[in-house]
Amino acid sequence: MKNDFRKMEDEMDRLATNMAVITEFSARISATLQDRHERITKLAGVHALLRKLQFLFELPSRLTKCVELGAYGQAVRYQGRARAVLQQYQHLPSFRAIQDDCQVITARLAQQLRQRFREGGSGAPEQAECVELLLALGEPAEELCEEFLAHARGRLEEELRSLEAELGPSPPAPDVLEFTDHGGSGFVSGLCQVAAAYQELFAAQGPAGAEKLAAFARELGSRYFALVERRLAQEQGGGDNSLLVRALDRFHRRLRAPGALLAAAGLAEAATEIVERVARERLGHHLQGLQAAFLGCLTDVRQALAAPRMAGKEGPGLAELLANVASSILSHIKASLASVHLFTAKEVSFSNKPYFRGEFCSQGVREGLIVGFIRSMCQTAQSFCDSPGEKGGATPPALLLLLSRLCLDYETATISYILTLTDEQFLVQDQSPVTPVSTLCAEARETARRLLTHYVKVQGLVISQMLRKSVETRDWLSTLEPRNVRAVMKRVVEDTTAIDVQVGLLYEEGVRKAQSSDSSKRTFSVYSSSRQQGRYAPSYTPSAPMDTNLLSNIQKLFSERIDVFSPVEFNKVSVLTGIIKISLKTLLECVRLRTFGRFGLQQVQVDCHFLQLYLWRFVADEELVHLLLDEVVASAALRCPDPVPMEPSVVEVICERG
């Protein structure tokens, strides 16, 4: 190791000696070339200065050539390079002359740029280049700003006029998707270019320039939005939302860029408001469509009920008509839900907006469309209860019965199903209060009750009219001895049987009180028992009317009170009971207004026995029919000067023969 290090030390010494020799030679060379280096540097500086002077002297000719060739950008760059030098040495006559020549050429250049800019034949990028060159030439920025916006306004107004021409009456308007594409690629794209160029060119204008651009965009944007709304309004008559939603999606997407560039103009917010407004209008349109569909179903039911009668055939089955109406309405509701659900599809740009995630689902679709339609349907159904029955029954009784059952079915199942379907499709993220299912069900049940009650009144009125006319048009004092049941009583039984069949098609039987083993025979006893004989037979004489009336009134105190217009239950027995009570009560009131001869009383006795033979089976409690018919015969006996009743066996024979 000692030998190796000693050898290395010797080499280092030789290296140091060589370096000293090199340094000495370098110093000699530098000293020898010092004078030449200074002269070369000086000559290089002189050469550069001469080149600059040459550029300055050639500047007027260069500028002239650039202007002649249309190389305006190159000319402006030349002018920019020489401007500072010419201003610095303008006190020298030679430089002053160059500066004067350049100013003349620059003025001509600025004039040509302004002329090119004002002609407006070029596009927005070319015009922005003209403004940029004019600004570089030192033209006033405020004036250029106004001119730039004025020229941009002309181009954009031309796009607006083109859109407005498409909405004219003569040519057919393009579909809404094509219209929004045209507006997006024309006006909106042009507005974006103008905004980007303006912000790049006039950034030095500060807040005042930004507000000027925002006002410009707001004014033209409002005109564009008005045209879009006019075109969208033409789509409100269609039932399909797919094309409309696609058009709204593109319209909304196109305005994202100018909305970001021009946040102060509020274009994106205005576009969102238009989309929301169209969505609300579509909901209203679908609600009207559902209401029209419901009215159309009712018209079809009316025609189906009337056509067979006109042709002399049997009417269609109410159960089938009810099923058709229910399925048709439900299919229309599902179609409307599917159509408005397009507004909340994930791929739609505006579906993530707060309105479409909350209020549109809860207040728009659920409350406005579905709940609104159900309530409208109930109101429309209830309006049939307001029609005067005295005018010949404008509403067919079968329609009242069908609507009543429809509303009852909605109360029991359909409303809950529809609202559950709506809530599943439209995930409500809004905390606004909504109508509970129980409230709607209660409204539907009340509507069904009112319709069924009105049905009872209408049908009772029809039978009552027959009975009233049969009593009022007959001379009961001079009538012949009864040999038959009057035809009107047979008609009453026939109509009651038909009503029983009709109601049975839609409603269950209901609960009856236990019937006696032979209800028809009880009718005999009512009219022929000893208490009936004693009521209106030998003791009744004209000399003692007060006693007879007193006995009758005392008996009424102990008889059961009959409520003619008691609430109707949702079953066949209750409906028929209400109709029969109204009919027999009318018969009783009519009998009280007439005076009867002996045979007139006997005819009433025969008619009432005939009614009892058949009507008892329709009511919940046969005692009801017994009491009312008993009251009719007793009232006729009180108004008979010679009350001699017919033998029960004879009454029975006549009724059986009838």
Side-chain angles (χ1 to χ4, degrees):
M1 289 180 65
K2 287 181 180 182
N3 294 333
D4 290 339
F5 278 110
R6 189 177 297 114
K7 183 179 179 181
M8 186 180 297
E9 186 176 354
D10 294 340
E11 291 178 355
M12 291 298 292
D13 291 340
R14 284 197 299 272
L15 178 62
T17 303
N18 293 335
M19 289 297 294
V21 173
I22 292 172
T23 302
E24 182 182 355
F25 276 112
S26 177
R28 287 181 197 170
I29 293 171
S30 295
T32 304
L33 298 177
Q34 179 66 35
D35 295 337
R36 294 182 181 179
H37 179 70
E38 291 177 356
R39 287 198 299 272
I40 291 172
T41 303
K42 188 180 296 185
L43 290 173
V46 171
H47 177 70
L49 180 59
L50 289 175
R51 289 184 61 187
K52 291 181 180 179
L53 289 174
Q54 183 183 6
F55 174 79
L56 290 176
F57 286 118
E58 293 177 354
L59 181 60
S61 62
R62 286 173 180 264
L63 291 177
T64 302
K65 187 175 182 180
C66 287
V67 172
E68 291 175 353
L69 295 175
Y72 302 124
Q74 186 66 36
V76 171
R77 284 192 292 273
Y78 286 159
Q79 173 67 16
R81 287 172 57 185
R83 182 185 297 132
V85 176
L86 291 175
Q87 288 180 352
Q88 183 177 358
Y89 297 102
Q90 62 182 344
H91 59 282
L92 299 177
S94 58
F95 285 97
R96 180 68 180 177
I98 295 173
Q99 186 180 27
D100 292 341
D101 292 342
C102 289
Q103 286 179 349
V104 173
I105 298 171
T106 303
R108 189 167 73 250
L109 172 61
Q111 183 179 2
Q112 291 186 12
L113 286 172
R114 282 185 177 275
Q115 183 66 25
R116 183 183 178 191
F117 176 64
R118 287 169 182 165
E119 288 176 355
S122 55
E126 291 79 4
Q127 290 206 330
E129 181 184 1
C130 290
V131 174
E132 185 179 5
L133 295 177
L134 289 170
L135 288 172
L137 290 174
E139 295 293 314
E142 182 70 22
E143 182 180 343
L144 289 173
C145 173
E146 295 292 342
E147 289 191 21
F148 179 80
L149 291 180
H151 284 83
R153 180 188 300 275
R155 294 197 309 274
L156 294 176
E157 285 181 343
E158 185 177 351
E159 293 289 345
L160 292 176
R161 285 192 293 272
S162 175
L163 288 174
E164 190 170 11
E166 294 182 2
L167 297 175
S170 51
D175 64 56
V176 66
L177 187 60
E178 183 180 346
F179 183 85
T180 52
D181 279 343
H182 183 186
S185 60
F187 175 82
V188 178
S189 179
L191 183 61
C192 286
Q193 292 179 1
V194 170
Y198 182 94
Q199 291 176 349
E200 183 178 353
L201 293 172
F202 303 105
Q205 294 293 306
E211 178 55 35
K212 188 178 297 184
L213 177 63
F216 170 84
R218 272 196 299 269
E219 179 190 352
L220 291 176
S222 63
R223 293 170 58 184
Y224 171 65
F225 291 149
L227 292 175
V228 171
E229 289 195 272
R230 279 177 55 188
R231 182 62 187 87
L232 291 174
Q234 299 176 8
E235 293 295 309
Q236 296 305 309
D240 186 14
N241 287 341
S242 57
L243 191 65
L244 177 63
V245 171
R246 287 174 59 197
L248 290 173
D249 180 39
R250 294 193 186 179
F251 165 72
H252 190 267
R253 288 179 189 273
R254 283 281 192 178
L255 284 161
R256 283 179 174 177
L261 281 172
L262 303 165
L267 298 179
E269 293 78 6
T272 302
E273 289 178 3
I274 290 176
V275 174
E276 292 176 1
R277 189 155 53 246
V278 171
R280 293 189 188 96
E281 291 173 354
R282 293 303 295 173
L283 288 175
H285 170 75
H286 280 287
L287 176 59
Q288 294 176 0
L290 289 176
Q291 293 169 343
F294 178 61
L295 293 177
C297 289
L298 297 187
T299 302
D300 294 341
V301 171
R302 282 176 176 268
Q303 293 176 350
L305 293 174
R309 287 200 299 271
M310 293 170 57
K313 301 177 182 178
E314 290 187 3
L318 282 181
E320 182 181 354
L321 289 177
L322 175 64
N324 292 339
V325 171
S327 63
S328 177
I329 295 174
L330 190 58
S331 64
H332 278 93
I333 290 175
K334 289 181 177 180
S336 296
L337 287 176
S339 186
V340 298
H341 190 262
L342 296 174
F343 285 94
T344 61
K346 292 182 179 180
E347 63 272 12
V348 176
S349 60
F350 51 78
S351 62
N352 60 346
K353 296 296 179 181
Y355 170 74
F356 288 98
R357 297 178 66 183
E359 183 183 347
F360 177 79
C361 297
S362 63
Q363 301 304 312
V365 177
R366 190 187 192 278
E367 293 298 301
L369 181 60
I370 301 304
V371 175
F373 169 67
I374 293 174
R375 283 181 165 161
S376 171
M377 187 180 71
C378 291
Q379 291 173 1
T380 301
Q382 288 190 27
S383 66
F384 291 109
C385 298
D386 302 329
S387 60
E390 291 80 4
K391 295 182 180 180
T395 304
L399 180 61
L400 296 173
L401 190 66
L402 184 145
L403 287 175
S404 171
R405 184 68 213 193
L406 178 66
C407 292
L408 186 64
D409 290 342
Y410 265 67
E411 184 263 337
T412 54
T414 310
I415 289 178
S416 177
Y417 170 74
I418 293 174
L419 290 182
T420 301
L421 183 67
T422 304
D423 293 338
E424 289 176 352
Q425 291 188 19
F426 298 86
L427 300 176
V428 179
Q429 300 181 10
D430 189 16
Q431 300 302 320
S432 302
V434 294
T435 306
V437 176
S438 58
T439 302
L440 275 183
C441 290
E443 293 177 10
R445 187 175 184 84
E446 175 62 20
T447 302
R449 186 195 62 77
R450 286 191 59 186
L451 285 165
L452 197 59
T453 301
H454 190 62
Y455 173 81
V456 169
K457 291 180 180 179
V458 169
Q459 294 288 46
L461 179 63
V462 172
I463 298 177
S464 297
Q465 291 283 61
M466 290 192 299
L467 293 172
R468 178 182 292 113
K469 289 180 181 179
S470 71
V471 173
E472 293 177 351
T473 57
R474 190 179 183 91
D475 184 4
W476 293 98
L477 287 173
S478 58
T479 185
L480 299 177
E481 184 177 359
R483 289 291 180 265
N484 294 296
V485 178
R486 288 191 302 147
V488 67
M489 298 302 167
K490 300 177 182 178
R491 178 69 183 276
V492 167
V493 173
E494 291 174 358
D495 288 359
T496 305
T497 304
I499 293 172
D500 180 73
V501 173
Q502 187 181 70
V503 177
L505 295 174
L506 299 181
Y507 282 98
E508 291 74 19
E509 181 70 22
V511 180
R512 302 176 186 271
K513 288 189 177 181
Q515 306 293 339
S516 63
S517 59
D518 192 353
S519 296
S520 61
K521 295 300 181 183
R522 289 187 58 188
T523 308
F524 258 166
S525 63
V526 170
Y527 304 130
S528 58
S529 63
S530 59
R531 67 182 182 92
Q532 292 292 336
Q533 297 278 2
R535 177 187 296 177
Y536 50 76
S539 64
Y540 182 82
T541 59
S543 62
M546 292 301 295
D547 294 338
T548 308
N549 289 335
L550 180 62
L551 290 174
S552 176
N553 290 332
I554 291 174
Q555 185 175 1
K556 287 181 182 179
L557 292 176
F558 294 96
S559 63
E560 182 181 355
R561 180 179 179 274
I562 298 174
D563 186 4
V564 177
F565 297 103
S566 59
V568 181
E569 301 296 331
F570 295 107
N571 58 70
K572 185 175 72 171
V573 171
S574 178
V575 171
L576 269 295
T577 300
I579 294 172
I580 290 174
K581 283 194 297 185
I582 294 175
S583 304
L584 297 184
K585 186 66 174 178
T586 301
L587 177 62
L588 174 61
E589 297 303 323
C590 292
V591 166
R592 286 176 175 172
L593 299 176
R594 311 297 293 180
T595 302
F596 296 85
R598 175 190 297 179
F599 296 139
L601 171 62
Q602 292 178 0
Q603 184 66 60
V604 170
Q605 185 181 358
V606 170
D607 292 344
C608 289
H609 180 70
F610 180 80
L611 292 178
Q612 173 59 30
L613 284 175
Y614 295 98
L615 295 186
W616 66 270
R617 69 194 70 209
F618 298 119
V619 298
D621 185 3
E622 63 183 78
E623 284 298 322
L624 175 71
V625 177
H626 290 308
L627 291 173
L628 285 171
L629 292 176
D630 186 33
E631 191 71 25
V632 170
V633 177
S635 182
L638 288 174
R639 289 154 182 81
C640 178
D642 184 20
V644 178
M646 182 176 284
E647 288 296 326
S649 58
V650 178
V651 171
E652 183 177 0
V653 170
I654 293 175
C655 290
E656 288 179 353
R657 187 174 59 200

